Amino acid sequence: MAVFDTPEEAFGVLRPICVQLTKIQTVENVEQLQAQLHTVSDSALQELQQYILFPLRFTLKISGPKRERLIQSVVECLTFVLSSTCVKEQELLQELFSELCSCLYSPNSQKPASVSEELKLAVIQGLSTLMHSAYGDIILTFYEPSILPRLGFAVSLLLGLAEEEKSKQIKIAALRCLQVLLFQCDCDDHPKSLDELEQKQLGDLFASFLPGISTALTKIITGDFKQGHSIVVSSLKIFYKTVGFVMADEQLRRISEVQATPTVEHRIAKLMVHREANWVKNTGDKLTILIKKIIECVSVHPHWKVRLGLIELVEALLSKCSQSLVESAGPLLKALVGLLNDESPEVQAQCNKVLRHFSDQNVVVGSRAFADILSENLHSLATSLPRLMNSQDDQGKFSTLSLLLGYLKLLGPKVNFVLNSVAHLERLSKALIQVLELDVTDIKIVEERRWTTDHLSASPKTSAARPWRQIQRRYFRFFTDERVFLLLRQVCQLLGFYGNLYLLVDHFMDLYHESVVYRKQAAMILNELVAGAAGLEVENLHEKHIKTSSEELREIVTSLLEEYTSQENWYLVTCIEVEEIGEELTMKQSGLQAITSGAHTCQLTPFTAFSKPSPTICSMNSNIWQICIQLEGIGHFAYALGTEFRLLLMSALYPVLEKAGDQTLFISQAATSTMMDICHACGYDSLQHLINQNSDYLVNGISLNLRHLSLHPHTPKVLEVMLRNSDASLLPLVADVVQDVLAALDQFYDKSATSFVSVLHTLLAALAQWFSDPGDLGQLQEQNVGEEGSHLSQRSAALQNRLENTTTPEDIEQFLLNYLKEKEIAHGNVSDFDEEEEQSDPPKVDENDAGPHVEPPLPLQIQIASDVMERCIHLLSDKRLTIRLKVQLPKGAKSPLWN
C-alpha cells in the first residue's frame, strides 16, 4: 500500500533521489528511485510524472558509452512509471517513443543493436506500456504523417527481433508489441471503433508498411515448425488483421483516384502511399503470392491451433477483401475447403461454421458468386483428378480428396452442374475407379477356409448395435492409408446424397458391365451412393435440399439387387475343390450355377465352366472380393430402406444364406455381417428370428431347387445355415425337405454326396442340441404314454414267464433240427414238399392275444434321425475320408434317436 498519497509528500521524498540520479547515473541510484516509487500512490505519481521522468530521460540522452545494465534499469523504471500513469501530451508520447526505440538503434546496421536479451525484452515491454498509457484520443493524434519515419523504424525493429531472435520470449513480446503499434490490441485502453476518417488516416499510414510487414511475417509463418505454434499463430493474426485493414473493400471504395496535396515535408510525403486502383491491383497480386506460400505451409502444420488460425485468416480476408484480393479468393477457398475434414474436431467445427456462413450470406468475390467459384474449382479438380490420384502419395491423395469432399459439401445440389458434364463425370468416375483398385495377389484370401460348424453369430444383441459403416479390411493397390478410403467413401456418399442418383447409378452400372477390372470398384461406389442417398451419417449443409424419396430408392435398390444376385455376378469361381473318387482326381469348380432373385427357381443356362481354363489365384481372389462387396452392398441397401427392405427379403435372403454357408471364410464372414445388417435394419431380434419369420418361402425355395440339383448345387448350404441358426420350431417345416435331401442323396450320390452328408450331419447336431434335455422328449411323447404303457407291461410279463420255464431235452432237440434245416435252406437244398409243408402249416395263435396291436408313431425328431442314420450307415465304408468323417457323429455328441 502506498505511503505517500499527496504530491507534496511524494515530492519531498523523491526530490533528493531524482537530483542524485541527475548528477550521477548509476544502477544503484535508479534502483533506489524505483524502490521509492513503490511507496507513492498513482495519483501522486501522475502529478509528478514529468519531474520523475526527467532524470530517467536525461540518463538515456547523455552522450558517451552507457552500460547495458544501466539502460536496462532506466527502461524498467520508466516502464513502471508509465504503467502507473497516463501520457496526456502528444509531444511527450512521441519523444518517449523515440527515446525507447533509440535504445536498440545500431548506427552501423539496419538490424537491432547487439545488446543483451534482457535489454531487448525491457525495451519491447516499455514500448508496449507507453502505447497503452496514452490517454484517451491522444493515441489517435500519435498516428500522423509526421510520425511515419519513427513509426516505420519501430515496426522494422520489432519485425527484425521477431524474425532473427532465438529467444521465444522475445519473439512473442515483439509480435505483441507490433500488434499494439498497428492498433490490433484487444485491451480496453484502445478505442474499439473508429470513424471513417480515422480508418482512412490509419489505413494510409499502415499502407506504407504493408510490403515490409507482410513479407517479414510470411518468413516467420513459413519458418521452422520447431519455433513454436504460438509464434506462428501471432504472426498469422497480425498478417490478416493488417492486410484486412489496409486492403478493406469498404475503405478502398471511399478513396478518390486523385491524391490530395500532402501537408507534410517532401521527404515524408515520398513515404506516403495513395491507395488508388493501380496500387490495389499491384499490391493484391503480390499479396496473392505470399498468401499461397502461407497456405501451402500452414495447411499441413502439425499443431491444430495454427490450422485454426489459417481458418481465421481465410474468413477475415474473404469477408473484408473479396474485391481487392480477388486473385487470392481461389487459394483461400481451397485452403478452407481442404480443412473441412481436418483430424482436429475444433478445426472441423470452425471450418464448418465459416463455410456455412459463406454459403448462407451468398458471398461475392470480385464479380463472381461464391458458388460459381466453388463450381469452377470443382471443374478444375475433376479435370486433374485422375492425374493426381496416379501421381500423388498417400498424404497427397488425402489432401486432394479432402478438397474434393469439401467442394461437394459446399456446392450441395449444385454439384449436378458438374455431373451433367459428360467429360467431367467421366474423369471423376475414372479417378474413383482407378484409386479404388484392390490388391488381389494375397493367397491368404482364397486359402482361408471355414471349418467350424458353430452358429454364424450369436445374435445382433451381442454385437452392440454394429455400425452400418463397419466393413471388411481390404488392401488397395495405390494407397495404404485408411483415411484415404474413408474419404473416398464420404465422397461417394455425398455424390449420392446431392447428385442425380439415377444418372450416377446408370453411369457406374455401365462401368460395372464394361469390364471385369472395373466391377469391384463400381460395386463399392454404387453401395456408397445408395447409402448416401438415404442420408446415412451424411452432414447436410443445405437445409432446403430434398432427399431421394423412398419409392425411388426402393426401385434403384431392387434393380441393383437383381444385378448383384444374377448368375454371372453371384456364382463365380472362388475355389477349386479336389475330391478323390476311386483312383481318379476330378476337379470340380464350386459355385457356378445360378438362381433367380425371386422365387429361386431360376432361368436355366448351360454349364460351361469345365470348358474354361483353370482359374488363377488372382482371379479367384478377385471373385471373392466381388462377392464380398456385393454382400456388403445388400447390407447397405437394408440400412438405406430400413423396414421397407422386408419387401425385398424374398429376393435377397436366400442368396445371402447361400453365401453364409460358403466354405471361403471371407465370403462367409461377409454374408454373416450382411445378415446382421438385415436384422438391425428390418427390426429382427436375432438371426434365429430372421430365419424363423421367413422360413416358409426359404423352405419352399429349397424344395423346388432340390428337384433340379444339377442346376442348383448350392441348395444344401441354405438348409445347413438355417439349421445352424434356428430352433426346434423349424423342424415341422423341414421334415419333408429332409426326405427330399435323402432322395437326392440317393440320386446324386457320386456328385453331391459331400454337400448332402454335411447337411445331414448338421441336422443331427441340431437335433441333439434342440432336444438335449430328456424332459423335452418326454414332454413331446406325453400323448403316447398310456398306449405304450399297456403294451410294455404285456411284453414284460411274457418275458418273465419265459425266463421262469426250464429248458427240456425236447427243446434242445427241436433247436438242433431247426438249425440243420435252416443250414440246408441256406445252401439251397430245399424240396418242394418241404416248402409246401411249411406253407401249409398255419401260424400258431396265442389264445391269450386280445387282438392286433399297432405300435404308436415315434416322435418326429426320432423319425428324422432314424431315417438319416439308416440311409447313411452304409457310407461309413465310403472311400472318401470327408464323407466317412461327416457320417460319424461329432465327438461327445449323442444321437437324438437314443434319447
Side-chain angles (χ1 to χ4, degrees):
M1 179 179 292
V3 177
F4 306 103
D5 295 330
T6 63
E8 291 78 10
E9 294 175 340
F11 180 77
V13 175
L14 295 175
R15 182 177 179 278
I17 305 173
C18 290
V19 172
Q20 182 68 18
L21 179 59
T22 304
K23 293 179 179 179
I24 305 174
Q25 295 81 29
T26 61
V27 176
E28 292 76 13
N29 289 339
V30 176
E31 290 177 349
Q32 185 179 1
L33 174 61
Q34 186 169 355
Q36 197 65 48
L37 290 174
H38 284 85
T39 63
V40 180
S41 65
D42 292 346
S43 58
L45 283 179
Q46 182 65 50
E47 295 294 332
L48 300 173
Q49 182 191 56
Q50 296 273 12
Y51 183 80
I52 298 170
L53 289 176
F54 175 80
L56 297 173
R57 294 175 62 192
F58 179 78
T59 304
L60 293 177
K61 288 181 178 180
I62 58 176
S63 59
K66 296 183 286 291
R67 292 174 297 170
E68 289 186 9
R69 183 69 184 89
L70 175 61
I71 299 176
Q72 179 183 342
S73 299
V74 172
V75 172
E76 290 174 351
C77 186
L78 190 90
T79 301
F80 174 77
V81 175
L82 294 175
S83 64
S84 302
T85 60
C86 296
V87 178
K88 299 182 179 181
E89 297 180 7
Q90 178 184 1
E91 184 178 355
L92 177 62
L93 179 62
Q94 293 180 354
E95 289 177 356
L96 288 173
F97 183 82
S98 300
E99 290 164 4
L100 286 173
C101 290
S102 64
C103 294
L104 299 180
Y105 172 67
S106 175
N108 300 324
S109 174
Q110 295 181 352
K111 296 182 179 180
S114 299
V115 295
S116 65
E117 292 183 352
E118 291 78 7
L119 177 56
K120 293 176 182 177
L121 189 60
V123 173
I124 293 172
Q125 292 174 346
L127 284 172
S128 180
T129 305
L130 173 63
M131 301 307 296
H132 280 103
S133 68
Y135 180 77
D137 293 339
I138 193 68
I139 187 67
L140 295 176
T141 61
F142 175 79
Y143 292 95
E144 293 181 348
S146 59
I147 200 66
L148 194 58
R150 281 176 282 183
L151 186 60
F153 172 74
V155 170
S156 178
L157 181 70
L158 294 172
L159 287 173
L161 292 172
E163 184 179 354
E164 302 294 338
E165 282 297 317
K166 295 181 179 180
S167 171
K168 183 178 179 180
Q169 187 178 10
I170 293 179
K171 283 176 172 286
I172 293 177
L175 291 172
R176 289 178 179 173
C177 184
L178 186 61
Q179 283 183 284
V180 176
L181 288 182
L182 297 177
F183 232 76
Q184 299 171 9
C185 185
D186 297 327
C187 65
D188 296 331
D189 295 332
H190 283 183
K192 293 297 181 181
S193 59
L194 301 173
D195 57 30
E196 295 181 0
L197 184 60
E198 292 168 344
Q199 290 179 5
K200 181 181 181 304
Q201 177 183 343
L202 290 176
D204 291 338
L205 200 66
F206 295 159
S208 301
F209 313 138
L210 185 60
I213 292 176
S214 57
T215 303
L217 291 176
T218 301
K219 291 180 181 179
I220 298 173
I221 294 169
T222 58
D224 192 352
F225 291 160
K226 296 179 182 179
Q227 65 182 325
H229 74 276
S230 56
I231 295 173
V232 182
V233 171
S234 298
S235 301
L236 280 172
K237 190 173 184 179
I238 298 173
F239 183 91
Y240 73 74
K241 283 195 172 184
T242 304
V243 174
F245 186 79
V246 176
M247 303 293 290
D249 298 332
E250 185 179 357
Q251 283 193 46
L252 297 176
R253 281 195 295 266
R254 296 193 297 265
I255 295 178
S256 62
E257 290 294 326
V258 180
Q259 183 178 8
T261 304
T263 58
V264 292
E265 300 178 16
H266 179 68
R267 64 182 186 88
I268 297 178
K270 291 173 63 177
L271 300 176
M272 297 180 63
V273 170
H274 179 55
R275 292 180 289 168
E276 40 82 27
N278 289 334
W279 180 90
V280 171
K281 185 179 184 307
N282 294 332
T283 305
D285 293 341
K286 294 174 183 178
L287 285 173
T288 299
I289 299 174
L290 299 179
I291 289 172
K292 288 181 179 179
K293 288 183 179 179
I294 291 174
I295 291 173
E296 182 180 354
C297 179
V298 175
S299 59
V300 295
H301 198 282
H303 202 283
W304 67 272
K305 287 187 177 180
V306 176
R307 301 194 299 274
L308 191 64
L310 179 60
I311 295 176
E312 295 174 356
L313 180 144
V314 175
E315 181 182 15
L317 297 185
L318 286 180
S319 299
K320 298 179 180 179
C321 313
S322 59
Q323 306 299 321
S324 57
L325 297 178
V326 64
E327 297 298 328
S328 302
L332 289 171
L333 276 178
K334 182 178 179 180
L336 189 60
V337 173
L339 294 173
L340 195 59
N341 299 284
D342 193 87
E343 59 186 13
S344 169
E346 292 85 356
V347 176
Q348 281 192 23
Q350 183 64 21
C351 194
N352 276 320
K353 179 181 177 182
V354 173
L355 288 172
R356 188 183 293 271
H357 169 73
F358 285 157
S359 180
D360 295 340
Q361 297 297 323
N362 296 322
V363 176
V364 177
V365 180
S367 59
R368 299 178 297 169
F370 179 70
D372 293 338
I373 298 176
L374 292 176
S375 182
E376 180 180 329
N377 289 353
L378 181 58
H379 274 86
S380 176
L381 181 59
T383 302
S384 58
L385 195 59
R387 175 181 56 81
L388 294 174
M389 291 295 100
N390 189 38
S391 60
Q392 290 179 324
D393 58 4
D394 282 7
Q395 183 59 43
K397 288 184 176 69
F398 179 79
S399 301
T400 302
L401 290 173
S402 296
L403 192 61
L404 175 61
L405 183 62
Y407 286 142
L408 295 178
K409 283 185 177 182
L410 292 176
L411 284 173
K414 295 181 181 178
V415 73
N416 287 305
F417 291 120
V418 179
L419 299 180
N420 289 334
S421 168
V422 177
H424 288 89
L425 178 59
E426 188 74 18
R427 285 184 171 273
L428 179 63
S429 60
K430 284 298 176 66
L432 294 176
I433 291 288
Q434 173 185 321
V435 75
L436 281 171
E437 184 175 352
L438 288 168
D439 181 8
V440 294
T441 58
D442 189 0
I443 193 174
K444 291 182 180 179
I445 298 174
V446 74
E447 74 176 1
E448 288 288 342
R449 314 298 287 163
R450 182 181 59 82
W451 300 113
T452 178
T453 58
D454 297 335
H455 286 228
L456 294 176
S457 180
S459 72
K461 296 177 182 177
T462 62
S463 64
R466 171 182 172 269
W468 73 270
R469 57 186 176 179
Q470 183 178 351
I471 62 174
Q472 288 177 308
R473 174 67 185 271
R474 56 197 61 170
Y475 299 92
F476 297 88
R477 283 192 60 190
F478 299 112
F479 66 89
T480 57
D481 193 342
E482 281 292 318
R483 299 180 304 161
V484 176
F485 181 46
L486 179 61
L487 282 179
L488 286 167
R489 295 184 64 194
Q490 292 176 349
V491 166
C492 296
Q493 289 166 15
L494 278 181
L495 286 174
F497 186 71
Y498 289 122
N500 185 335
L501 189 59
Y502 283 105
L503 172 65
L504 291 169
V505 170
D506 287 344
H507 180 76
F508 284 102
M509 281 306 299
D510 290 341
L511 293 175
Y512 184 91
H513 294 131
E514 182 178 329
S515 171
V516 178
V517 178
Y518 297 157
R519 193 160 295 168
K520 297 180 293 298
Q521 302 95 299
M524 278 190 278
I525 295 171
L526 287 167
N527 296 344
E528 302 300 337
L529 287 175
V530 173
L536 298 179
E537 296 190 9
V538 175
E539 183 181 6
N540 184 14
L541 297 177
H542 305 268
E543 298 177 355
K544 297 180 180 179
H545 174 65
I546 302 175
K547 293 199 304 182
T548 306
S549 65
S550 58
E551 292 79 8
E552 294 176 346
L553 197 59
R554 188 168 62 248
E555 291 177 2
I556 292 175
V557 166
T558 303
S559 64
L560 290 176
L561 198 57
E562 292 176 356
E563 188 66 38
Y564 282 0
T565 56
S566 63
Q567 174 186 354
E568 60 272 16
N569 299 322
W570 195 251
Y571 299 97
L572 305 172
V573 179
T574 59
C575 64
I576 302 177
E577 296 179 359
V578 181
E579 291 190 356
E580 186 179 359
I581 303 177
E583 297 179 354
E584 299 180 357
L585 292 177
T586 62
M587 306 300 291
K588 181 180 68 174
Q589 298 184 354
S590 67
L592 292 175
Q593 302 303 319
I595 56 175
T596 58
S597 58
H600 310 293
T601 54
C602 90
Q603 182 178 358
L604 308 183
T605 55
F607 181 82
T608 60
F610 290 105
S611 61
K612 297 181 179 179
S614 178
T616 64
I617 294 295
C618 288
S619 65
M620 288 189 291
N621 283 347
S622 178
N623 292 341
I624 289 172
W625 273 121
Q626 181 180 335
I627 294 173
C628 290
I629 291 167
Q630 292 173 169
L631 283 166
E632 174 192 302
I634 296 176
H636 280 33
F637 301 160
Y639 274 107
L641 292 180
T643 54
E644 290 187 9
F645 191 74
R646 291 193 178 200
L647 301 174
L648 302 178
L649 282 180
M650 291 188 65
S651 59
L653 188 55
Y654 190 100
V656 173
L657 287 175
E658 277 187 337
K659 297 305 178 184
D662 198 284
Q663 290 301 312
T664 304
L665 182 62
F666 276 74
I667 296 177
S668 177
Q669 288 178 340
T672 303
S673 298
T674 300
M675 292 173 65
M676 300 287 287
D677 291 339
I678 294 174
C679 287
H680 285 297
C682 297
Y684 292 105
D685 297 332
S686 62
L687 295 182
Q688 175 182 316
H689 188 211
L690 171 67
I691 292 174
N692 289 347
Q693 291 295 315
N694 300 278
S695 57
D696 49 355
Y697 63 83
L698 289 174
V699 170
N700 180 63
I702 295 172
S703 179
L704 292 174
N705 290 338
L706 282 174
R707 300 174 187 176
H708 305 281
L709 190 63
S710 60
L711 302 173
H712 306 280
H714 301 287
T715 301
K717 294 181 180 179
V718 181
L719 180 59
E720 185 177 350
V721 173
M722 291 179 65
L723 292 172
R724 286 179 186 166
N725 295 274
S726 189
D727 55 13
S729 63
L730 184 67
L731 194 58
L733 281 173
V734 300
D736 294 336
V737 174
V738 172
Q739 298 302 321
D740 294 339
V741 170
L742 294 174
L745 176 61
D746 294 338
Q747 183 179 0
F748 300 96
Y749 168 76
D750 292 336
K751 297 180 180 180
S752 304
T754 303
S755 299
F756 288 121
V757 170
S758 179
V759 174
L760 297 176
H761 178 271
T762 303
L763 172 63
L764 291 187
L767 292 177
Q769 179 183 358
W770 296 342
F771 303 102
S772 58
D773 187 1
D776 297 339
L777 184 60
Q779 185 177 3
L780 293 174
Q781 297 174 348
E782 267 184 6
Q783 66 272 20
N784 300 323
V785 168
E787 299 175 4
E788 293 181 2
S790 59
H791 175 66
L792 291 175
S793 63
Q794 291 177 6
R795 291 182 62 185
S796 62
L799 181 61
Q800 184 68 23
N801 292 333
R802 293 174 186 174
L803 292 175
E804 289 178 356
N805 295 333
T806 58
T807 305
T808 61
E810 290 79 5
D811 294 333
I812 297 175
E813 180 182 359
Q814 186 62 37
F815 171 76
L816 292 174
L817 291 174
N818 291 337
Y819 170 75
L820 293 174
K821 185 176 181 178
E822 290 178 357
K823 185 175 181 181
E824 291 294 328
I825 293 173
H827 288 85
N829 300 326
V830 181
S831 62
D832 295 339
F833 177 77
D834 292 337
E835 291 179 2
E836 292 177 359
E837 183 180 0
E838 288 179 2
Q839 293 175 0
S840 64
D841 292 340
K844 296 180 179 181
V845 181
D846 189 358
E847 296 178 355
N848 297 327
D849 194 355
H853 175 72
V854 180
E855 293 187 2
L858 294 174
L860 180 60
Q861 71 275 10
I862 295 183
Q863 292 179 17
I864 293 176
S866 177
D867 292 342
V868 170
M869 290 192 293
E870 287 177 2
R871 197 70 64 91
C872 295
I873 192 169
H874 67 284
L875 295 175
L876 287 171
S877 60
D878 194 273
K879 295 180 180 181
R880 289 163 289 188
L881 177 61
T882 56
I883 293 181
R884 294 201 303 271
L885 292 174
K886 286 289 185 181
V887 170
Q888 298 177 26
L889 285 174
K891 184 178 180 181
K894 188 176 181 181
S895 171
L897 183 60
W898 313 116
N899 281 347

